[in-house]
Amino acid sequence: MVARPDGPEEPAEDRKPQSDEARSAFMPPAGVEQPAVPEEEHPTSEFALPEGLEGLEPEPAAEQEGSAFVPPSTYTAKTSPPAFTPVHGIPMVRLSKDAPWQDRMRTMLRLPVGERPVPEQAPKEGAAGPNVPRVLDLTLRIGELLLAGGEGAEDVEAAMFAICRSYGLDRCEPTVTFTLLSITYQPSLVDAPVTANRTVRRRGTDYTRLEAVYQLLADINAEDHEVAPEEAYRRLAEIRRNRHPYPGWVLTTAAGVLAGAASVLLGGDLTVFFVAALGAVLGDRLAWLCAGRGLPEFYQFLVAAMPPAAMGVLLTLLHADLRPSAVITGGLFALIPGRALVSAVQDGLTGFYITASARLLEVGYFFVAIVVGVLSVLYVAVQFDANLNPEGVLKPVERPVVQIAAAMVLCLTFAILLQQSRATVLFATLNGGVAWVVYASIAVTAGGSSVMATAVAAGLVGLFGQLIARYEHTSSLPYVTAAIGPLLPGSATYFGVLALAQNNLDQGFGSLAKAAALALAIAIGVNLGGELARMFMRAPGARAARRAAKRTRGF
């Protein structure tokens, strides 16, 4: 019998046993008392203070270190502490209005989004906001002209950012790649962003149009000159419809004179000048014919490289006492893509690696086209036992007055091929003459390294070009690209191609590697000169330095 506290006793066989679900596995069975827990084994919370510490005042939260015994001060965002402010405070970024807009916008792009200063001019009450789709479309169209004209990706982004801020769209982010322009504008943190993009499908060299675009940008960013979006559209349409300053026959003549001046620069005489000019003119006309048929630029470069090589081979077969190697090398000066190479290296040095890789790949294709065109002609010449000797090109010839004049003529004709305005041709010519004097002084007179001499001369070209561009508030390309013409590696390219045609692979690839090193020296020197000009000029921000990417130390 089992006694029940609230009733009479009942037989044990009449009581139903409890199921497993009716009791816990940790509960002792009926009739067994639970033992008392020892005093020293009472469980405690990890957030509870130990005995003897209840009377102590906790240190301020800002001064005490984190501990498992200190209860957290907040669990929700509503009771969270204020944001951390450094002891020295957060510096206010102010951009100097006296600095060119290119430097101010470049500084803005390199600042984190949270540290960019807001526009100082507040919108007028009752005034309608900017037409966002219209402003974004105008920005993309101007960026397209700049990118197609050969500007670097960072300069294009700075221009796009400047246009948006001028029309009141300060929360915008431009993105530039080799063929795609994109810009995103977000009115506020709670509004959906607006994104527009544009594809660059065709590139053309017209520095007169590039200067006009920069003038439009200067007027848009000027405080004393208000340009409405519709007025900017009208001026942009006029720029796009503007005809080239030089007709086709002037460009063809300039290509011939450029090749002739390059051959004289390498030791040729008056006869060599005319032969090299004739070969370059034939190559230019063939390239125009291929362009009219819709062939890609690769085949245009390939065809344009054949006539100068054929003229040099013809002089060799006629046993003329001339320098056929100078004729071939002079024709290559008009074909080597120096402008694209400088832009590619500039994009790589400023952190735009996708655009730089695409530009370098384009330069590589053009370079291969030139090599294939010259190599095809030289291979045929070797089969006919043409005695081609590249040593005549490599021997330095000291004719200072004649060579300086030839270098300046080369720069003059190069500027015409780039469709530069007449106001910039003179300075580009003088800049190229100075570059050749510096190069010849180091490489020829002093017997120094040709790569080092090329880098120093190109650095001076970039420095002078950037200084005059900042003074004129325009692009530096018209003052730099034509001035590097005398420094292009025509001799090393021809020597490498000839060695490959004669089955001297080691010499051929070594010479082509030297040509690539000279080309990179030109591009790096030009970029370094421009950076030095920006470094020593007035800083665009009082407390905001022009930031660059930090070194990763290999990881």
Side-chain angles (χ1 to χ4, degrees):
M1 300 293 292
V2 178
R4 298 184 62 184
D6 55 350
E9 298 180 353
E10 61 178 357
E13 59 272 10
D14 296 339
R15 183 177 60 84
K16 296 182 180 180
Q18 290 182 341
S19 61
D20 292 338
E21 293 80 3
R23 60 184 178 86
S24 172
F26 300 99
M27 186 175 62
V32 179
E33 296 182 359
Q34 183 177 3
V37 180
E39 188 70 22
E40 63 273 8
E41 295 184 5
H42 278 296
T44 179
S45 172
E46 62 175 348
F47 299 106
L49 295 176
E51 294 182 3
L53 298 180
E54 288 82 356
L56 298 180
E57 292 293 335
E59 297 181 358
E63 299 180 359
Q64 64 182 1
E65 297 181 358
S67 172
F69 299 102
V70 178
S73 59
T74 178
Y75 291 99
T76 62
K78 295 182 179 180
T79 59
S80 61
F84 173 73
T85 302
V87 178
H88 52 79
I90 299 178
M92 180 179 294
V93 179
R94 293 184 181 274
L95 299 181
S96 174
K97 297 180 180 180
D98 297 332
W101 66 266
Q102 296 97 321
D103 290 346
R104 288 189 281 114
M105 293 302 107
R106 189 179 290 109
T107 302
M108 292 281 290
L109 287 174
R110 294 190 177 187
L111 283 175
V113 178
E115 298 181 14
R116 293 177 182 174
V118 297
E120 298 181 0
Q121 296 180 353
K124 299 179 180 179
E125 297 183 0
N131 189 343
V132 175
R134 193 73 166 166
V135 173
L136 295 184
D137 181 71
L138 175 65
T139 303
L140 291 174
R141 290 178 182 274
I142 293 179
E144 178 190 8
L145 285 180
L146 294 177
L147 188 62
E151 278 290 355
E154 187 180 33
D155 295 327
V156 177
E157 281 196 359
M160 296 171 64
F161 193 75
I163 298 171
C164 289
R165 285 184 63 88
S166 298
Y167 289 117
L169 307 183
D170 57 304
R171 301 177 61 89
C172 63
E173 285 296 332
T175 303
V176 176
T177 58
F178 184 57
T179 58
L180 181 65
L181 298 170
S182 177
I183 188 165
T184 300
Y185 170 68
Q186 188 173 13
S188 65
L189 296 177
V190 297
D191 293 328
V194 180
T195 303
N197 53 58
R198 193 173 183 87
T199 303
V200 180
R201 303 189 182 277
R202 184 178 179 182
R203 291 174 177 80
T205 304
D206 190 344
Y207 284 176
T208 303
R209 179 179 297 175
L210 189 66
E211 294 174 26
V213 174
Y214 265 88
Q215 183 60 47
L216 174 60
L217 288 171
D219 293 340
I220 292 176
N221 289 275
E223 295 183 357
D224 56 348
H225 192 100
E226 184 177 356
V227 180
E230 298 303 325
E231 174 67 16
Y233 263 105
R234 185 190 63 79
R235 292 179 57 178
L236 186 62
E238 292 179 356
I239 293 172
R240 298 181 68 93
R241 291 195 302 265
N242 185 28
R243 301 188 56 173
H244 299 306
Y246 307 105
W249 66 269
V250 173
L251 298 179
T252 301
T253 305
V257 176
L258 188 152
S263 64
V264 173
L265 195 66
L266 300 172
D269 54 10
L270 188 60
T271 305
V272 173
F273 176 89
F274 284 108
V275 175
L278 179 61
V281 167
L282 293 177
D284 182 77
R285 287 293 89 191
L286 287 177
W288 277 98
L289 180 61
C290 294
R293 298 293 181 178
L295 291 178
E297 285 185 299
F298 179 88
Y299 300 104
Q300 298 177 28
F301 275 82
L302 190 150
V303 171
M306 287 184 173
M311 298 300 292
V313 171
L314 182 61
L315 290 180
T316 304
L317 294 177
L318 295 177
H319 301 284
D321 190 14
L322 299 172
R323 297 172 69 96
S325 54
V327 174
I328 300 175
T329 305
L332 298 181
F333 270 80
L335 299 177
I336 297 177
R339 173 183 60 87
L341 180 65
V342 171
S343 299
V345 175
Q346 179 182 358
D347 289 340
L349 294 177
T350 52
F352 294 83
Y353 301 113
I354 296 178
T355 306
S357 302
R359 290 186 189 268
L360 285 176
L361 184 61
E362 182 187 40
V363 171
Y365 271 110
F366 292 160
F367 192 78
V368 170
I370 296 171
V371 170
V372 171
V374 177
L375 186 61
S376 302
V377 177
L378 295 183
Y379 182 77
V380 175
V382 170
Q383 302 305 315
F384 284 95
D385 297 329
N387 187 18
L388 293 170
N389 182 19
E391 299 298 330
V393 176
L394 300 180
K395 292 180 181 179
V397 179
E398 294 192 27
R399 296 184 300 176
V401 178
V402 176
Q403 289 180 322
I404 292 174
M408 296 180 68
V409 172
L410 191 153
C411 296
L412 174 65
T413 53
F414 202 172
I416 294 176
L417 289 176
L418 294 173
Q419 301 282 358
Q420 293 186 201
S421 64
R422 294 170 177 83
T424 62
V425 169
L426 178 59
F427 184 86
T429 303
L430 296 176
N431 201 10
V434 173
W436 176 256
V437 169
V438 174
Y439 170 81
S441 300
I442 298 176
V444 180
T445 304
S449 171
S450 59
V451 177
M452 182 187 67
T454 302
V456 173
L460 291 177
V461 168
L463 177 62
F464 295 152
Q466 188 62 234
L467 290 176
I468 190 64
R470 290 171 65 92
Y471 178 77
E472 297 290 342
H473 295 281
T474 183
S475 173
S476 62
L477 291 181
Y479 306 103
V480 170
T481 306
I484 64 175
L487 306 177
L488 294 176
S491 300
T493 303
Y494 165 69
F495 182 31
V497 173
L498 179 58
L500 293 178
Q502 295 175 344
N503 204 22
N504 297 326
L505 300 183
D506 294 338
Q507 291 182 342
F509 287 115
S511 182
L512 291 179
K514 180 181 178 181
L518 291 173
L520 290 177
I522 294 173
I524 295 175
V526 169
N527 181 265
L528 180 60
E531 294 296 329
L532 290 177
R534 297 190 186 101
M535 183 184 302
F536 293 109
M537 296 293 288
R538 188 182 327 187
R543 298 288 301 274
R546 185 171 176 266
R547 300 185 180 183
K550 293 184 178 180
R551 199 169 42 151
T552 59
R553 302 181 186 273
F555 53 84

